[in-house]
Amino acid sequence: YNLSGKKIKRAIKISDVTAMTKNNAQRNLEFIIHVSSESDYRFKVDKLQLRDEIFSIIKQDYAAICK
């Protein structure tokens, strides 16, 4: 979900994710979710650990849904 205050601006279905990209440089806090029928979505977080945790959770959910 992309949130603005309490409003959802955009929701991406896990099944629509085609790929994810992250730069493994230590100071890079961004990652991109590539979506099949929409524009890609770029995220930036405050901590590297949070980026990697989000990335991992999305991968796990995708694997569970697409079995």
Side-chain angles (χ1 to χ4, degrees), residues 47-58:
K47 295 182 181 178
L48 189 62
Q49 181 180 354
L50 179 58
R51 181 201 70 179
D52 292 342
E53 188 174 323
I54 292 169
F55 205 85
S56 179
I57 290 168
I58 293 170

Side-chain angles (χ1 to χ4, degrees), residues 26-65:
Q26 240 179 352
R27 296 181 184 257
N28 190 312
L29 301 174
E30 298 178 346
F31 64 96
I32 300 169
I33 298 177
H34 305 279
V35 183
S36 59
S37 60
E38 302 177 38
S39 300
D40 295 341
Y41 208 80
R42 185 174 172 184
F43 292 91
K44 184 173 183 179
V45 295
D46 296 335
K47 295 182 181 178
L48 189 62
Q49 181 180 354
L50 179 58
R51 181 201 70 179
D52 292 342
E53 188 174 323
I54 292 169
F55 205 85
S56 179
I57 290 168
I58 293 170
K59 285 179 15 180
Q60 289 173 4
D61 286 351
Y62 182 85
I65 289 172

